[in-house]
Amino acid sequence: MKELVNLHQKEYSEFKRKKDLAALPYIYECDTGLNRYDPRLALIKMDIPITEARNPVTTTIDVASTDDIVQMLHMCDREIFNGWKQYKGLFHPETIATIRQISEVAVDILKKPDGMIVLSGCGTSGRIAFLIARNFNEVLRNSGREQCFRYLIAGRDKALFTSQEAPEDDPQCGIEMLKEVTAGRNRVLFIGITCGLSAPFVAGQLYYCMENLNIYTPVLLGFNPSNLARNIKIEKWDKTFLQVVRLMENKVAENKAYILNPIVGPEQITGSSRMKSGTATKILLETIFVSCVKAYENIPSNIEAHLKSYQDLCEVVYKETSSISKLVQLAGNSLKAGGTISYIGWDSLGVMGMIDASECPPTYGASLSDIRGFVETGYKLLNNIEGDLSPLGKYYRISIDEFQSDIVPGLKESDLVILLMKDESCTVSDILWKSTCQKACISFYSAEKEDRMDCTVSIDLSNLITEPLGNQHYKSWGQLYKELSTKWILNAVTTGAHILKGKVYQNIMVDLKVSNNKLFFRAVGIIQNFSNLPKEMCQEYLLKSIYMTDDLSDDLKSLQVKDHIVKATTMEKVVPTALVAAILKCKIDDARKLLLQHHVIRTAISDIINNRTV
């Protein structure tokens, strides 16, 4: 292990010298540890979920330059479209056929006065569900039709901004929310989004739909093969997610349900499904519903061409790698200096900023103040179910006016403000320009770079190929392309910034928040990966870190995972502490003291692994 970690730094330097990132050696993860990549392994059947596997492209991302970080992210995002290994991808005929079938069901829903389309998920999946429902309700409203899209997110609207751990793991909560929103409806298309085929909240909803097929047409949207759905018994329920998937497969055979699960490959940062999986979720849902709206309006649609337009967009965005990497560096400098990052956005671009900001605390252990998003007119623009949540506290004050009154007066040189500008009409108060903070913008209009900006990323959507979709398609749906462009750039900014801050070791987020069932077991896997200890022992080290004790009582061991999550959610450095204790087989307090000697968690983990007795 020690030799491999040393090689990790050396091989990156060598391949960087050759300027051949594409040739970076693959590292293959298996039960016995990390081994050199063997091409013969490419077709081996995966025994861990692909969404939780390590992406060989990014194993050296933690020691890469900002230019190379962005290039690695680009290489991985290409996998969304190019497919991964032998699995079916976005352009597979089966995927295209399923998209078309779901779109046809959606058209039928639009024609019925009592019809409804419900999109549901946890965390990022729920936030994407909110975004899509909001956008397509606006399309229906602008054409004078009834708004029939609804979103459900575990934890309700508070979860649009902050992680809400308990509801994500509660299938009954999901069922009750679904029953509540669809009361009185006789025809419902339900799309449950769970990237890893693992969310109990969605599992309960899918099962309820299958029990009531006279009303519901259930769709499972995710990015693992069906056989890799989570097969761990869901607490306070009598099923696993895999069992729900098997029931879904039976209904698919009867043309009463759909499973849409193209494989887009492992995430850039292991398990960070906010990135590729979140992007693919947005792409698939938009493809379904753009096709649906066109069909309803008797406009020909081309599913393959629509998917291809997003592939073209990916290249247009990453053509600006140089300016994106400069923005990543600015963001990294801010976080390393103890500063903050604020996204100021107009229209739905502001929503993209809020979504990206909300993902950082559970992913990187960031504080709620580190990265925040603000939108043009606050909740009036969001049009969320529960309306104005600002009375809940400062982290729910989200309008640009509130940014200018609450945040701008206290901005420091170490802080970074990023403007997400839909066009040249976007303006902010002069007080921001007088601030000493760093300033950057992402824009989609042709204009000379603003002299007052420290960095400008300008995306020229006119570079998109117009055929065979035609100019009218891009005129009607151009905002969707701006949103996805913004998502790619902001994901790069926050991923790169946290890498520079030292929150990632190799391509693993070692300081994640243990805030739900999925992250609890991911944390156990991280500890096992680097300590080579049995899974049961790794889970004990995690519990010792959560409860800050070396002697776990039988009462603590007998608690359910959800109880451990409630305790862990508010704590810092739970996983790094457990990891150090497991590697060195030391006491929890000693592990904490070792971490305090290092300002950067990545450096602490690297030094401890390198210097331990092998």
Side-chain angles (χ1 to χ4, degrees):
M1 180 71 174
K2 182 175 179 180
E3 289 78 6
L4 180 62
V5 174
N6 290 334
L7 177 62
H8 169 64
Q9 298 264 356
K10 292 176 182 177
E11 67 185 8
Y12 171 75
S13 299
E14 175 64 16
F15 281 86
K16 177 176 171 55
R17 183 182 65 78
K18 294 179 180 179
K19 297 183 178 179
D20 188 12
L21 283 175
L24 276 170
Y26 281 6
I27 304 294
Y28 186 81
E29 182 178 27
C30 62
D31 291 339
T32 56
L34 300 172
N35 297 291
R36 303 304 302 163
Y37 177 77
D38 185 332
R40 293 171 297 178
L41 295 172
L43 297 180
I44 285 181
K45 183 179 178 181
M46 296 288 290
D47 59 357
I48 60 171
I50 293 169
T51 55
E52 295 290 325
R54 300 183 67 189
N55 196 313
V57 172
T58 56
T59 52
T60 57
I61 198 168
D62 61 326
V63 292
S65 67
T66 52
D67 273 348
D68 292 345
I69 286 172
V70 177
Q71 288 181 45
M72 289 179 186
L73 297 180
H74 183 196
M75 290 165 63
C76 292
D77 280 328
R78 280 176 168 169
E79 293 174 345
I80 296 172
F81 307 99
N82 297 337
W84 192 73
K85 295 190 177 180
Q86 79 274 27
Y87 297 97
K88 65 180 182 184
L90 249 61
F91 291 99
H92 191 279
E94 184 180 328
T95 303
I96 301 295
T98 303
I99 291 172
R100 183 172 290 110
Q101 290 166 339
I102 298 169
S103 180
E104 289 169 356
V105 175
V107 172
D108 187 52
I109 294 289
L110 290 186
K111 293 178 179 178
K112 296 184 181 300
D114 59 352
M116 179 180 284
I117 298 171
V118 179
L119 312 176
S120 180
C122 308
T124 296
S125 296
R127 296 174 192 120
I128 296 293
F130 159 74
L131 175 73
I132 298 296
R134 173 192 176 278
N135 286 351
F136 282 89
N137 273 337
E138 185 174 341
V139 170
L140 296 179
R141 182 174 64 250
N142 290 341
S143 60
R145 298 198 294 273
E146 181 185 355
Q147 300 172 51
C148 66
F149 285 84
R150 299 292 185 273
Y151 69 91
L152 295 176
I153 180 169
R156 300 185 184 269
D157 280 1
K158 284 178 66 176
L160 294 173
F161 309 96
T162 59
S163 176
Q164 302 294 312
E165 63 282 348
E168 297 184 12
D169 298 327
D170 189 342
Q172 194 58 45
C173 176
I175 292 170
E176 293 305 317
M177 287 181 65
L178 178 59
K179 290 164 67 175
E180 176 186 316
V181 77
T182 59
R185 301 286 179 158
N186 294 318
R187 188 80 173 88
V188 177
L189 172 62
F190 173 80
I191 301 181
I193 311 160
T194 167
C195 298
L197 308 190
S198 60
F201 179 83
V202 173
Q205 294 170 328
L206 290 169
Y207 183 75
Y208 178 77
C209 289
M210 287 187 283
E211 292 286 286
N212 297 274
L213 289 170
N214 58 315
I215 295 176
Y216 298 92
T217 299
V219 177
L220 168 59
L221 173 56
F223 304 99
N224 277 324
S226 295
N227 65 293
L228 293 181
R230 179 170 291 170
N231 197 26
I232 298 173
K233 185 178 179 299
I234 295 171
E235 292 180 359
K236 294 186 176 180
W237 212 38
D238 60 349
K239 294 174 182 62
T240 70
F241 203 103
L242 180 61
Q243 289 172 327
V244 173
V245 170
R246 294 307 184 207
L247 292 172
M248 283 283 294
E249 289 174 331
N250 292 336
K251 301 305 178 185
V252 169
E254 300 170 9
N255 294 318
K256 295 179 179 179
Y258 302 94
I259 297 176
L260 183 57
N261 61 331
I263 306 306
V264 298
E267 298 289 347
Q268 292 98 325
I269 304 300
T270 306
S272 183
S273 55
R274 77 188 190 106
M275 300 184 72
K276 289 168 67 176
S277 296
T279 296
T281 297
K282 188 176 190 299
I283 287 171
L284 288 168
L285 291 175
E286 288 175 357
T287 303
I288 289 168
F289 296 126
V290 168
S291 176
C292 161
V293 170
K294 285 185 174 182
Y296 185 81
E297 297 176 346
N298 295 315
I299 298 172
S301 64
N302 186 326
I303 290 171
E304 293 92 336
H306 190 91
L307 291 173
K308 180 63 167 58
S309 71
Y310 290 120
Q311 185 175 25
D312 295 338
L313 179 67
C314 183
E315 300 309 309
V316 169
V317 170
Y318 281 108
K319 184 180 178 182
E320 304 303 322
T321 288
S322 178
S323 55
I324 295 172
S325 65
K326 182 179 179 181
L327 184 53
V328 168
Q329 187 67 61
L330 283 177
N333 291 346
S334 288
L335 292 187
K336 286 193 293 182
T340 63
I341 300 171
S342 298
Y343 297 136
I344 312 302
W346 285 261
D347 208 340
S348 58
L349 303 189
V351 180
M352 300 311 298
M354 286 178 46
I355 290 174
D356 186 82
S358 69
E359 295 162 341
C360 293
T363 305
Y364 296 109
S367 75
L368 294 176
S369 299
D370 284 351
I371 303 167
R372 293 186 62 188
F374 299 87
V375 295
E376 187 175 1
T377 54
Y379 292 96
K380 182 179 178 181
L381 182 140
L382 280 193
N383 196 26
N384 56 305
I385 293 172
E386 296 176 40
D388 188 353
L389 300 181
S390 58
L392 294 177
K394 65 179 182 179
Y395 297 116
Y396 297 92
R397 290 171 58 83
I398 60 167
S399 72
I400 291 180
D401 286 344
E402 287 164 334
F403 165 75
Q404 292 178 159
S405 63
D406 298 357
I407 306 298
V408 171
L411 287 174
K412 308 180 297 297
E413 190 173 345
S414 58
D415 297 321
L416 171 63
V417 175
I418 302 176
L419 306 181
L420 312 177
M421 307 178 75
K422 63 176 182 178
D423 55 43
E424 59 270 24
S425 68
C426 303
T427 59
V428 292
S429 169
D430 286 341
I431 190 173
L432 174 63
W433 303 116
K434 295 175 182 177
S435 169
T436 60
C437 71
Q438 301 292 297
K439 306 168 191 72
C441 77
I442 299 169
S443 68
F444 296 90
Y445 59 92
S446 299
E448 292 185 8
K449 291 189 176 181
E450 172 64 66
D451 290 338
R452 294 178 291 183
M453 294 292 178
D454 296 286
C455 177
T456 298
V457 181
S458 182
I459 304 299
D460 186 0
L461 295 182
S462 68
N463 288 328
L464 281 176
I465 300 170
T466 58
E467 298 299 334
L469 294 175
N471 288 326
Q472 186 58 44
H473 170 87
Y474 293 100
K475 183 177 180 180
S476 299
W477 304 102
Q479 190 68 11
L480 304 183
Y481 295 91
K482 291 180 182 180
E483 290 171 2
L484 187 55
S485 301
T486 302
K487 181 184 186 300
W488 268 318
I489 296 167
L490 297 188
N491 283 175
V493 167
T494 46
T495 299
H498 283 101
I499 289 170
L500 294 176
K501 190 178 180 181
K503 292 284 191 172
V504 172
Y505 180 67
Q506 295 181 13
N507 57 3
I508 295 176
M509 41 188 175
V510 289
D511 196 20
L512 56 84
K513 284 278 188 184
V514 183
S515 57
N516 60 34
N517 193 282
K518 176 182 71 175
L519 294 178
F520 180 91
F521 287 106
R522 182 180 298 162
V524 173
I526 290 171
I527 298 166
Q528 186 177 19
N529 183 76
F530 289 111
S531 68
N532 290 322
L533 294 174
K535 179 179 178 181
E536 295 74 15
M537 192 175 294
C538 293
Q539 183 161 322
E540 283 200 7
Y541 273 110
L542 181 61
L543 296 183
K544 288 178 180 179
S545 180
I546 291 172
Y547 294 102
M548 295 184 289
T549 180
D550 294 301
D551 299 310
L552 291 172
S553 67
D554 290 338
D555 287 343
L556 286 179
K557 291 180 181 179
S558 66
L559 292 175
Q560 293 185 319
V561 171
K562 68 179 182 63
D563 300 312
H564 304 317
I565 291 168
V566 170
K567 174 70 174 175
T569 298
T570 59
M571 300 178 65
E572 294 185 356
K573 299 184 179 178
V574 168
V575 179
T577 301
L579 180 57
V580 170
I583 291 171
L584 299 181
K585 298 181 177 59
C586 68
K587 293 182 177 181
I588 292 296
D589 190 54
D590 291 338
R592 286 186 177 277
K593 289 176 181 177
L594 278 170
L595 285 171
L596 288 174
Q597 295 173 13
H598 296 77
H599 294 294
V600 179
I601 288 175
R602 190 202 73 82
T603 305
I605 301 299
S606 178
D607 287 352
I608 289 165
I609 289 176
N610 273 297
N611 295 323
R612 72 174 178 173
T613 302
V614 180

